[in-house]
Amino acid sequence: MRLCRYDDDRIGLIREDQLFDSTAALAQLPSLNWPVPLGDHLIANLDAMRPALEAAADESAPVSIDSVALKSPVANPGKIIGAPVNYHKHHEEAVADSEINLGREIKTIDTYGLFMKANSSLVGPSEGVALHFTDRRNDHEVELAMVIGKGGADISRAEAMHHVAAYAIGLDMTVRGTEDRSLRKGVDTYSVLGPWLVTADEIANPDALGLEILVNKEMRQKSNTANLIFDCAKLIEYASAFMTLYPGDIIMTGTPEGVGPVVPGDTMQARIEGIGSMSVPVRAHVT
Ligand code: MN
């Protein structure tokens, strides 16, 4: 199933490049009382909601995907986890490029662990990226994003992939500088998720997906998740040893080589095999 959120928080299913409105199914979501459980309420109920979502789509007329504004398909993640330096060739370029390393030694997850991106940084492709600090270098990072379905702590490698509800394209936008990653990657609009969720049953092997990003039609990054240092299962095992994962938590798995700057007016086109592609405009943040 391919599930998107669009326009005024409508829910739609993507079937063969067309969108079918499933918003009527949301009436089936159990109601919530304060305090609400951690995580995303729709993702937590996704398996139970599936028949209603499919049935609602069956009743809808097809709509052109190009005619809607795609928002982040996860509305309320409990957390967004990032993976620093998780491709060997990105490690090599970070070591070689002083504009990336700023004089610091660059290591990998074994040393750094993972980092958190602010939930408030999350947008969908239609909202675009608003560059802050345009006097500094702001980079694109295309990444496979995993969305947790079944929560848990201390998840074993053998069980890890059973905890994934879906996959999407993630952009881990980054302002270069000396501050902690959580600040530089937690800027408003610096986490892009889209264009929709592809449920895990449709992705046979998340560790073998081609991914790429073009800026103004120029190829910048092109690799395959087979080149991950910590693969998808290991990221879940590692993260859940520190913190309980909840439905709707997003894990951005890291970016391959080819990170580079974007400036206001650019258009990023990101694509991941088995998921789709999304176009994301870049503008300057206006105070
Ligand atoms: Mn990243």
Side-chain angles (χ1 to χ4, degrees):
M1 186 173 69
R2 294 170 175 234
L3 182 74
C4 71
R5 180 166 68 113
Y6 67 101
D7 293 350
D8 189 15
D9 293 322
R10 306 194 72 77
I11 290 289
L13 298 195
I14 306 298
R15 294 172 172 171
E16 293 178 357
D17 300 327
Q18 289 191 298
L19 188 155
F20 296 81
D21 190 342
S22 291
T23 311
L26 294 179
Q28 312 267 330
L29 263 183
S31 59
L32 286 176
N33 291 310
W34 184 89
V36 298
L38 289 176
D40 185 277
H41 189 44
L42 177 57
I43 304 299
N45 289 280
L46 193 57
D47 283 343
M49 289 287 292
R50 223 169 145 142
L53 289 164
E54 297 278 11
D58 290 345
E59 297 297 311
S60 297
V63 173
S64 165
I65 295 168
D66 293 338
S67 70
V68 305
L70 292 168
K71 302 171 86 169
S72 166
V74 178
N76 299 112
K79 52 188 166 287
I80 305 172
I81 299 172
V85 199
N86 199 24
Y87 283 80
H88 288 294
K89 286 184 180 172
H90 174 53
H91 180 237
E92 290 169 14
E93 76 178 347
V95 168
D97 187 344
S98 63
E99 289 185 17
I100 296 176
N101 64 49
L102 296 160
R104 293 165 302 187
E105 193 176 358
I106 300 290
K107 298 172 182 167
T108 62
I109 294 173
D110 279 319
T111 302
Y112 290 133
L114 303 173
F115 63 89
M116 311 298 292
K117 289 169 70 73
N119 291 352
S120 47
S121 68
L122 185 63
V123 294
S126 72
E127 292 155 284
V129 171
L131 295 183
H132 293 49
F133 314 108
T134 49
D135 55 328
R136 290 161 63 171
R137 182 167 146 181
N138 284 271
D139 280 10
H140 54 77
E141 298 191 352
V142 63
E143 316 201 351
L144 174 67
M146 299 189 279
V147 177
I148 296 298
K150 185 173 80 169
D154 301 312
I155 298 167
S156 70
R157 176 174 181 83
E159 283 297 311
M161 301 320 291
H162 297 135
H163 289 260
V164 178
Y167 300 91
I169 304 171
L171 299 185
D172 173 22
M173 301 302 297
T174 303
V175 56
R176 298 291 169 198
T178 55
E179 300 91 343
D180 191 87
R181 279 186 178 80
S182 63
L183 191 67
R184 293 184 291 104
K185 293 166 172 281
V187 181
D188 286 355
T189 74
Y190 277 40
S191 300
V192 186
L193 192 74
W196 40 72
L197 299 181
V198 177
T199 50
D201 55 289
E202 293 194 17
I203 303 287
N205 182 7
D207 294 307
L209 301 177
L211 75 169
E212 64 186 38
I213 186 167
L214 300 88
V215 176
N216 305 333
K217 299 184 178 170
E218 175 200 342
M219 186 68 73
R220 291 279 188 89
Q221 295 181 273
K222 186 176 178 64
S223 187
N224 191 291
T225 56
N227 299 317
L228 284 167
I229 299 173
F230 273 40
D231 66 12
C232 288
K234 189 169 181 180
L235 286 169
I236 290 170
E237 180 184 42
Y238 185 92
S240 70
F242 288 81
M243 56 191 99
T244 300
L245 301 180
Y246 289 89
D249 283 0
I250 298 164
I251 301 178
M252 293 202 181
T253 56
T255 201
E257 71 278 10
V259 300
V262 289
V263 296
D266 284 350
T267 299
M268 301 181 286
Q269 185 82 31
R271 189 177 303 132
I272 298 184
E273 186 182 349
I275 295 174
S277 68
M278 63 181 188
S279 183
V280 182
V282 179
R283 66 183 186 282
H285 171 63
V286 180
T287 55

